[in-house]
Amino acid sequence: MTHIRSEIIGTGHYLPSKVVTNDDLAKIVDTSDEWIVERTGIKSRRIVAEGELTSDLCVNASKMALKNANLKAEDVDAVIIATITADNITPAVATKVAAELGVKTGVPAFDISAACSGFIYALTIADNMIKLNQAKRALVVGAESLSKITDWTDRNTCILFGDGAGAVVLQAKEGKGTNADTGLLTAKIYADGSGYEQLKTTGGVSLTESTGKLWMNGKEVFKYAIPAMAGSIEAVLGDVGASLDDVDWVIPHQANIRIIDGVAKKLNLDNSKVIITVDHQANTSAATIPLALSEAVEEGKIKKGDLIALTAMGAGFTWGGALVRY
Ligand code: COA
């Protein structure tokens, strides 16, 4: 029997050039570099320039991913973008990005809204499209301009977020159906709407006819995140009969170093296997995982054949995990 797997054949990322340090934030809210580093592990974040749009971040990250995949935009037959900060409420930013890249007319392009879990949701959907032969090559992007919905007067939240984009190109590949095959081995996505009010924007189209700003019950989110993320890693490992010892790298959603450490502790995971970007990027929501993946590939940390576990948790609540043989 033929097994179709979605192989990651290119990764890319883009960060806006403007760096905002904790000291910069201490000038606008009552906080300090010491407090932010101790409670979150964040030292700085990137913020979009005036006029720089989420679509621009997507286009830059996608160009890098396509180049690394040795492909042109016209070779792609699906474009999926995970974001909660698209240029417009409608149309999907994916259509704009596809047009700017030169993706062929008729190729489906749409956005996924699952907050910080968005990239794992998008990856799952793209993988299913590939397995159903609805696409041979999919461009999957996670991108955010969270600075646009950040309440810059709220020290509880404004210290946590940043802007950026990461992208991968997936391609159908026939395999034997074993864990040695390269590609996405398995993915699981989840939601629990009882957490809806815990992390949200204070407004929305139907609620207030505006976007509102990010608001969060930090303690509740924190408590939920650790078991959800650890549990999703255990679930994807269980799915393919693998153990953490088989995993070369874990890329967790980058919200707070204490959440990441909590997940590692719960799993009894060696910290040296965990990719960290939260220190210099903060929480870029759907972008953190593809950003971290692309940076780690570029740095030569992640190599062909490595087994990578991805996990994320975010607003909704939503969460999920995936196992990728790179
Ligand atoms: N600088 C200084 N003090 C701050 C502060 C800041 N930026 N933000 C909050 N504080 C204060 C609080 O007002 C509180 O003061 P009080 O005791 O006088 O009321 C004190 O610090 C402790 O606040 P608390 O909320 O208990 O801190 P915490 O250790 O729980 O850390 C978060 C707060 C937001 C960092 C933490 O809850 C968190 O990371 N939650 C998850 C957030 C997240 O990543 N969400 C996205 C997931 S996708």
Side-chain angles (χ1 to χ4, degrees), residues 81-102:
I81 297 184
T83 188
I84 55 165
T85 47
D87 295 7
N88 298 73
I89 293 288
T90 193
V93 74
T95 58
K96 186 177 184 179
V97 171
E100 286 184 17
L101 288 170

Side-chain angles (χ1 to χ4, degrees), residues 30 36 56 72 94 103 107 123 133 141 161 227 248 286 301 303:
D30 182 12
I36 300 172
D56 299 323
K72 295 198 165 59
V103 170
V107 163
L123 202 62
N133 203 22
V141 185
F161 303 114
D248 297 290
K301 273 188 191 165
K303 299 192 176 55

Side-chain angles (χ1 to χ4, degrees), residues 29-32 35-36 39-40 116 154-161 199 216-223 225 253-256 258-259 283 285 313-315:
V29 288
D30 182 12
T31 190
S32 66
W35 193 95
I36 300 172
R39 301 294 182 105
T40 70
C116 300
D154 177 11
R155 69 176 184 173
N156 289 295
T157 53
C158 76
I159 58 157
L160 298 171
F161 303 114
L199 172 52
M216 172 171 63
N217 182 344
K219 279 199 192 333
E220 283 307 310
V221 177
F222 196 103
K223 268 197 288 187
H253 170 53
Q254 310 279 319
N256 184 323
R258 287 160 56 216
I259 294 178
N283 180 354
S285 191
M313 182 270 172

Side-chain angles (χ1 to χ4, degrees), residues 38 41 46 60 64 71 89 115 130 150 214 228 242 252 261 274 303 309 314 325:
E38 191 194 308
R46 302 294 187 97
N60 285 317
M64 180 176 167
L71 292 179
I89 293 288
I130 285 172
T150 296
L214 283 168
D261 287 347
V274 184
K303 299 192 176 55
R325 173 82 59 198

